[in-house]
């Protein structure tokens, strides 16, 4: 499975109905943490959904976050996403 191409340091693969996705996005928005979102149920998002399944033992678990270094995290805390972004961008806390 090919890792999706992203233009952001953090891309959240999510759905509109997922409460965990909503909570993660709200907490990142509160601190103005930059990220992109891919709705894995949107038309044309079959490859994104397949990637999420490929990194989660065949399960479509959201949110799954893809980082610009090719690593990913499943249902991470907002603090973990912020820490990873600091690592990727070299910014201090």
């Amino acid at each position: 499975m090919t890792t999706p191409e992203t233009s952001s340091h953090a891309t959240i693969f999510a759905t509109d109905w997922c409460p965990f996705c909503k909570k993660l996005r709200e907490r990142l928005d509160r601190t103005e943490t930059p990220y992109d979102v891919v709705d894995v149920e949107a038309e044309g998002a079959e490859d994104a959904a397949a990637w999420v399944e490929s990194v989660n033992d065949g399960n479509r678990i959201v949110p799954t976050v893809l980082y610009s270094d090719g690593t990913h995290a499943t249902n991470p805390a907002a603090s973990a996403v912020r820490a990873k972004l600091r690592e990727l961008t070299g910014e201090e806390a």
Side-chain angles (χ1 to χ4, degrees), residues 57-78:
D57 297 322
N59 298 303
R60 192 177 297 181
I61 300 173
V62 290
T64 296
V65 180
L66 173 63
Y67 298 106
S68 60
D69 65 356
T71 62
H72 67 276
T74 302
N75 199 15

Side-chain angles (χ1 to χ4, degrees), residues 75-90:
N75 199 15
S79 58
V81 174
R82 287 190 290 272
K84 182 67 175 183
L85 288 177
R86 283 192 299 273
E87 175 188 319
L88 291 169
T89 62

